[in-house]
Amino acid sequence: MKIDIITLFPEMLEGPLGHSIVKRAINKGLAEVRFFQLRDWSNDKHNRVDDYPFGGGAGMVMKAEPLAACIDELCQTTNYDEIIFLTPDGQTLNQNMANELSLKNNLLMICGHYKGIDQRIRDLYVTREISIGDYVLSGGELAAAVLADSIIRIIPGVLGDESSALSDSFQDGLLDAPCYTRPAVFRELSVPEVLLSGHDAKISAWRHEQSVQKTKERRPDLLQ
Ligand code: ADE
């Protein structure tokens, strides 16, 4: 899986995608992540990539030409399955979407900044628009990092324990059951007996019951 990201702020992505599970996936050769500084495709002598919005109003708009030039150049060497624009007015990211995207070979993500990108880039190139939630961030970088992380961690072979991605909250439409580790008693709070029983079927049943209970309480919408 290759993920290419067009951004004005690659440093905002290097941190989140340079550690832990994502780093391990990259080191194992299971994922490749590349950042492209959009300013390198500016044809302006001051390297500007934004301009005033037609019709007036607050905020600058990212110009079409540098984005088109950058995307065109990347498309010459990579056949992208999806060209994704991160935007608060996109489809809200969920686990099903991450699962689906983790099966693709090549993804291109575009991070907007300022007021947004020229609509014609969305019309001409973008195949998918994704939001990470109903709030507005300063730009698409943190959203791209969240999306890339959610995809990379479930690529087969990335997690040591293959089953642990499958038992995550949301993977079966339920929130995760509580988990415990040693010591068995901490500040007078004991681990539920069943988890110490060694009885796999009983443990599975307990976890399922806890998941259903928690989902009913916190996210009844998921049970519908
Ligand atoms: N850019 C700004 N806010 C965003 C959000 N919530 N999701 C995706 N991209 C964004």
Side-chain angles (χ1 to χ4, degrees), residues 85-89 112 130-141 143-144:
F85 176 50
L86 283 310
T87 175
D89 60 7
I130 298 179
S131 163
I132 62 160
D134 288 342
Y135 41 82
V136 180
L137 301 165
S138 319
E141 282 76 11

Side-chain angles (χ1 to χ4, degrees), residues 123-157:
D123 297 341
L124 288 169
Y125 292 98
V126 171
T127 60
R128 206 147 175 171
E129 302 193 328
I130 298 179
S131 163
I132 62 160
D134 288 342
Y135 41 82
V136 180
L137 301 165
S138 319
E141 282 76 11
L142 295 177
V146 167
L147 178 60
D149 184 296
S150 73
I151 293 170
I152 291 170
R153 65 186 294 283
I154 51 177
I155 294 173

Side-chain angles (χ1 to χ4, degrees), residues 34-217:
R34 305 188 299 173
F35 308 121
F36 296 91
Q37 169 53 264
L38 181 62
R39 284 189 203 286
D40 295 344
W41 279 268
S42 168
N43 51 10
D44 175 292
K45 66 174 188 278
H46 302 295
N47 278 352
R48 289 194 60 159
V49 291
D50 59 342
D51 208 336
Y52 294 97
F54 277 127
M60 302 294 274
V61 177
M62 283 169 68
K63 291 164 68 65
E65 298 100 315
L67 278 165
C70 178
I71 299 168
D72 284 343
E73 191 175 322
L74 296 180
C75 285
Q76 278 173 17
T77 49
T78 304
N79 195 7
Y80 294 105
D81 299 293
E82 300 275 6
I83 299 184
I84 299 167
F85 176 50
L86 283 310
T87 175
D89 60 7
Q91 209 186 347
T92 310
L93 176 63
N94 60 26
Q95 191 61 49
N96 282 341
M97 217 188 280
N99 291 350
E100 188 204 320
L101 291 171
S102 76
L103 302 174
K104 309 280 184 189
N105 291 319
N106 299 308
L107 299 175
L108 178 61
M109 298 185 190
I110 303 170
C111 303
H113 237 89
Y114 317 120
K115 192 172 164 48
I117 66 172
D118 190 300
Q119 179 61 36
R120 290 164 290 188
I121 293 299
R122 297 168 75 161
D123 297 341
L124 288 169
Y125 292 98
V126 171
T127 60
R128 206 147 175 171
E129 302 193 328
I130 298 179
S131 163
I132 62 160
D134 288 342
Y135 41 82
V136 180
L137 301 165
S138 319
E141 282 76 11
L142 295 177
V146 167
L147 178 60
D149 184 296
S150 73
I151 293 170
I152 291 170
R153 65 186 294 283
I154 51 177
I155 294 173
V158 168
L159 290 180
D161 173 3
E162 286 281 333
S163 66
S164 83
L166 297 178
S167 68
D168 284 342
S169 278
F170 299 111
Q171 274 297 10
D172 54 4
L174 295 174
L175 302 181
D176 226 352
C179 54
Y180 298 86
T181 185
R182 288 185 290 183
V185 182
F186 173 69
R187 300 201 182 160
E188 295 175 25
L189 294 176
S190 300
V191 169
E193 277 295 324
V194 62
L195 296 179
L196 309 174
S197 69
H199 193 301
D200 289 345
K202 278 189 188 157
I203 293 171
S204 290
W206 179 85
R207 285 187 171 143
H208 183 71
E209 186 194 305
Q210 292 286 317
S211 284
V212 172
Q213 193 53 39
K214 194 193 273 188
T215 310
K216 263 189 202 157
E217 282 165 20

